[in-house]
Amino acid sequence: MIRRPPRSTPKPSSAASDVYKRQLDELSKLTWKDKTGNFQDSVLQISNINSGTGATNVIPGTLTLHLNVRHSPSTTSDEIKNDIQSVLDKHKINFEILWEIGGLPFLTEKKELTNAVELSIKEVIGINSISSTDGGTSDGRFVAPTGAQVVELGPGNASIHKINESVRIKDLENLHKIYVSILAKLLNA
């Protein structure tokens, strides 16, 4: 939460009307380079912003931001925190931060599970699969810290999280066959 004393909106020619603009602009441009070669570079996303009292002629006294950074294992949470803190400190603003880490990034090494998955996909549907770290937040982030190999495999997701989300029945049938093949390979290894 960024705090300032509320005040009347200034004349249009005054830069004070952009009270939070510089800080938000700088925060939204933060990036962190992936050093693993397996992830996209990380960016900060402003996922929620709230400010004001409802009056149109008052610059609000507080601005509440929810920020989200999905990052690779080569960037630490401390690096992200320090960079965000530096932007806020640079502008000499009064702020409070509540840090919440939803899960740590992970990268599964190519081992028995990934090999069984790749072979099973090839056998059942005849394609060479591609391992990828693209996509959304993974529930695997809760399993990976145990040291287990993590692979996420499911049906195509062209309509995921959209109105009329759907899955083709043939995809589910093939997925069942792939899962059975994976289990057979792992249990017979």
Side-chain angles (χ1 to χ4, degrees), residues 47-89:
S47 58
N48 195 330
I49 184 168
N50 188 18
S51 186
T53 62
T56 59
N57 65 340
V58 175
I59 297 173
T62 61
L63 174 73
T64 302
L65 296 173
H66 291 215
L67 308 175
N68 185 11
V69 180
R70 295 180 183 173
H71 60 97
S72 81
S74 66
T75 304
T76 67
S77 298
D78 285 340
E79 287 176 82
I80 293 167
K81 288 177 184 180
N82 289 339
D83 289 349
I84 292 170
Q85 183 96 30
S86 291
V87 169
L88 298 173
D89 286 342

Side-chain angles (χ1 to χ4, degrees), residues 107-115 118-119 129 131 149:
L107 180 61
T108 297
E109 294 179 33
K110 191 171 173 113
K111 292 184 179 177
E112 300 86 5
L113 180 59
T114 53
N115 291 334
E118 290 172 358
L119 286 171
S129 60
S131 296
Q149 297 174 55

